[in-house]
Amino acid sequence: TGESNGIVPYNEKIDIWSLGILSYYLFTGDLPFKATNVYDLLNEIEKGEIKVPTNLALEAISLIINNFIVNKT
């Protein structure tokens, strides 16, 4: 670890966040962030706000929410 992607230093937290994206997609069939361009997409990601459907199992909701923690420091 410790590599850089040009935006933020890479570490295991990025892998966990990516798991949140994949989990959201697998459970809902949709992506968690909606935007018409990259700038708006990055803003949505930085906000870290997602809407998890309430019709999912509690375990699925917990998995998704716990993997979407955005470190704003």
Side-chain angles (χ1 to χ4, degrees):
T1 64
E3 298 174 31
S4 177
N5 62 12
I7 299 172
V8 294
Y10 176 84
N11 60 38
E12 70 281 352
K13 292 178 183 178
I14 292 174
D15 292 334
I16 293 169
W17 185 84
S18 297
L19 179 61
I21 297 286
L22 291 172
S23 299
Y24 188 99
Y25 182 76
L26 289 172
F27 288 123
T28 68
D30 204 4
L31 295 173
F33 303 108
K34 308 282 188 264
T36 57
N37 59 60
V38 173
Y39 179 77
D40 290 343
L41 178 61
L42 291 174
N43 283 333
E44 290 296 313
I45 291 170
E46 283 182 358
K47 287 181 197 173
E49 300 171 358
I50 60 167
K51 294 180 182 177
V52 180
T54 56
N55 64 332
L56 298 177
L58 291 177
E59 295 84 0
I61 292 171
S62 178
L63 177 68
I64 292 169
I65 290 172
N66 289 324
N67 287 321
F68 267 104
I69 298 170
V70 175
N71 184 0
K72 296 186 179 187
T73 59

